[in-house]
Every structure is written in C-alpha cells, then in structure tokens.
Amino acid sequence: MKILLIGYGTMNVITAKLAEDAGHDIAGVIARGENHDIPYPAFNRIDEAQADVAIDFSHPELILPLLEDEVKTPLVIATTGDKETVISKLNDKSQNTPVFFSANMSYGVHVLNEVLKKALSMLDEFDLEMMERHHNKKVDAPSGTLVKLLDTALAHRDGSYPVYDRSDIHEKRKPEEIGVSAIRGGSIVGTHDVIFAKDDEVIEISHQAQSKEIFANGALKAASELVNKAPNFYDYNNLFEER
C-alpha cells in the first residue's frame, strides 16, 4: 500500500516504521503547524498524495479542515477529541469513499467494549465506575476510549448519567451515577478499567496497552482491509465482515 500519514507525532512515526518494515510505502505526510524533521513529501490536501489509504493519528484542528475538501482516498481515522463533529464529517465522506473510525485502534479494546455490553446486561444492580490512565503528554480527558465505553454504559442503563468530579458532592452516591476518572502521569501507554461494585463483591474488567505499537498495527490492519471495501462508514463491528 501507498500510505498518507495525517499528523506526524509519536503514533504516526511508529506507524511509518512498521508500515515500511511490512513492505508498504509512505506516500507523504500532512502535518501543518507541526515542527518535525519529516523524511517524507509534505502535502496540504488528502487526495494530493494519490495514496491508497490515509492513516490519521492527529487532532481535530488538523483533520477537520482536511475533511472540508472532497476526499476520495480511503480514510483510517484515530483522532480523539471533538468526537461528534469528526464522526459527522466522516459520515458525509463515507458516501463516496470507505471510512474507518475508532477512538482506539486496539482490537482488544473493541473486545473490552463487547464484554462490557454483556456485563451490563447481567450486573444492572451494581454501581459502575470507569477509570483511564495515560501518559502526561495526553491533552484530552477523559480519553476517547473511555468516552466510547461510557457511551456503551449510558445506552444500557436508562436514566444513568456521568459524574466526573465528586469534590462538591456531599451526599451518598446515587445508583444512576457512573463515575468517570482520568489519571495522567509518566509514560503510561493506556489503561482502561471498568469496575462493577455491589455489597461484598467487586468485578473489574481491564485493558492495558503495553506498547503504542498495538495502535499502529491496528491502524495498518484496518487500512489493509479498508482499501478493498466499498464506500461506507466502518468500525470494528463491521470492517471484517465478508464482502
């Protein structure tokens, strides 16, 4: 594949190396406003690169203006932040080109979300808390992955709502609350925990990312599948369905 990289931070540096190790070519990079020594051609529009697929590990300020243009190149998008706007734009683009979106490119996180759905159907009387931990350079909180897990929980628990800060709450916890916590420190790659708690018992579901390569490999696997797909909006729920 000829791959266009959108953004050239840590994640797409890793993606480029793994892609070239696997025999793919990097067609170029779009990284406006980023001060990097980039060893690939620079582009300002997605289709200019004439790539087979574009892989985005950037931020809304970069990807959203690019989606204002007509885009025919298949898109693998992993931007977190401003999720509603990003997905709305991608839905528009999916009318003319295949688009894959995931707030977390790890397939294991997709499995975590599926396990969560099952647990929610069986543990409706348990209090629910969610927590994520990431490195100290991550700017958005809670993470896009935790937002996805929270959305799953909210959809399965009628009347539930998130609580992000208990410092001003001076009363006992309500059953409808879903606690949401974010921790930032050091070089933590990414950990997501879902805690179900009831009298005398606790059930925890956890996913730990032990290297950033799992996200890059996930994006490359999605890209390899996406280039053979018809225009549509894809995620891990439908990407690998038989054509």
Side-chain angles (χ1 to χ4, degrees):
M1 293 184 296
K2 291 177 61 180
I3 301 170
L4 171 69
L5 303 176
I6 301 175
Y8 199 67
T10 300
M11 277 310 311
N12 261 345
V13 171
I14 295 171
T15 301
K17 180 182 185 305
L18 294 178
E20 291 180 327
D21 288 348
H24 303 300
D25 296 320
I26 304 302
V29 173
I30 299 177
R32 293 194 294 247
E34 296 183 7
N35 297 318
H36 296 287
D37 183 15
I38 301 174
Y40 305 107
F43 294 96
N44 291 313
R45 299 178 61 190
I46 293 172
D47 285 350
E48 284 179 349
Q50 298 184 332
D52 297 315
V53 65
I55 294 178
D56 163 76
F57 279 105
S58 66
H59 45 80
E61 290 79 8
L62 178 57
I63 188 60
L64 285 175
L66 296 174
L67 296 178
E68 295 295 330
D69 297 329
E70 180 181 0
V71 178
K72 296 181 179 179
T73 306
L75 301 171
V76 173
I77 306 295
T79 287
T80 59
D82 206 355
K83 177 183 174 183
E84 301 291 332
T85 305
V86 171
I87 289 180
S88 176
K89 293 290 185 183
L90 292 178
N91 272 314
D92 291 341
K93 296 305 174 189
S94 70
Q95 305 302 310
N96 299 306
T97 191
V99 170
F100 176 86
F101 174 82
S102 179
N104 191 307
M105 283 292 166
S106 163
Y107 187 73
V109 166
H110 167 66
V111 174
L112 171 65
N113 195 50
E114 294 302 302
V115 171
L116 174 60
K117 292 176 184 178
K118 182 65 175 178
L120 286 163
S121 70
M122 302 175 69
L123 303 172
D124 57 309
E125 295 183 356
F126 283 64
D127 294 330
L128 179 57
E129 296 283 317
M130 296 181 163
M131 179 175 66
E132 55 96 345
R133 289 170 278 179
H134 281 88
H135 52 86
N136 57 21
K137 295 181 176 60
K138 186 170 180 63
V139 297
D140 57 317
S143 68
T145 299
L146 197 66
V147 170
K148 177 180 179 178
L149 297 173
L150 174 61
D151 287 345
T152 296
L154 293 171
H156 283 73
R157 290 196 166 189
D158 293 339
S160 62
Y161 55 90
V163 174
Y164 298 96
D165 181 7
R166 299 187 188 280
S167 61
D168 292 326
I169 300 176
H170 304 291
E171 59 185 35
K172 68 178 184 179
R173 187 191 197 282
K174 294 182 173 64
E176 298 81 13
E177 294 179 9
I178 299 177
V180 180
S181 303
I183 293 171
R184 296 290 174 267
S187 58
I188 301 170
V189 176
T191 299
H192 294 85
D193 300 308
V194 180
I195 302 168
F196 291 91
K198 193 180 177 183
D199 293 344
D200 302 321
E201 58 183 328
V202 175
I203 298 171
E204 296 189 31
I205 308 170
S206 181
H207 178 274
Q208 297 181 24
Q210 297 183 344
S211 81
K212 292 183 177 181
E213 290 189 0
I214 65 170
F215 310 123
N217 279 321
L220 289 169
K221 183 177 181 180
S224 296
E225 187 72 17
L226 194 70
V227 294
N228 297 314
K229 290 288 189 179
N232 202 351
F233 187 100
Y234 297 94
D235 57 23
Y236 273 127
N237 291 306
N238 63 353
L239 180 66
F240 298 107
E241 293 177 350
E242 291 187 7
R243 292 183 290 276

